[in-house]
Amino acid sequence: MDAHPGIGLVIDRAGNIYYTDLKNIWKQSPDGRKRIVVEGVHSHELYMDSEDQLYGEHLWYKPEEDQFYQYHWCLQNNGKLTLL
């Protein structure tokens, strides 16, 4: 099996760390607590803007169509998830 790890690791101004396990996006707070903040997304890269809004993609492959698909999402700094 070829590895294709997530490379996104971002930190907001409050010191929260966000990372991907290729199934979900996790948030680890400065006190060590972890929780899933975006469920069910196959994201390899993450980006955080200057307003602490987190961006990523969801990428998947349909072998029956031999086609890749994707969409982008944003976790706003108020916790609301929007699709782009």
Side-chain angles (χ1 to χ4, degrees):
M1 178 188 308
D2 293 330
H4 59 286
I7 59 171
L9 179 71
V10 295
I11 302 172
D12 67 16
R13 289 179 282 181
N16 296 299
I17 300 169
Y18 298 84
Y19 61 93
T20 179
D21 66 4
L22 300 180
K23 296 179 184 174
N24 300 297
I25 306 303
W26 290 81
K27 175 183 176 180
Q28 181 172 330
S29 61
D31 65 6
R33 289 181 295 161
K34 297 178 188 177
R35 67 182 179 97
I36 294 172
V37 292
V38 183
E39 267 189 274
V41 291
H42 184 91
S43 294
H44 288 268
E45 298 179 38
L46 300 175
Y47 171 78
M48 184 164 288
D49 69 14
S50 62
E51 303 204 2
D52 287 342
Q53 298 186 117
L54 182 66
Y55 295 85
E57 90 282 18
H58 176 57
L59 178 67
W60 71 99
Y61 177 70
K62 286 190 169 184
E64 65 276 8
E65 298 174 12
D66 192 28
Q67 182 72 36
F68 282 94
Y69 294 90
Q70 75 174 29
Y71 64 81
H72 295 90
W73 52 264
C74 174
L75 182 63
Q76 298 174 3
N77 56 18
N78 64 5
K80 181 180 177 184
L81 182 66
T82 57
L83 302 182
L84 305 175

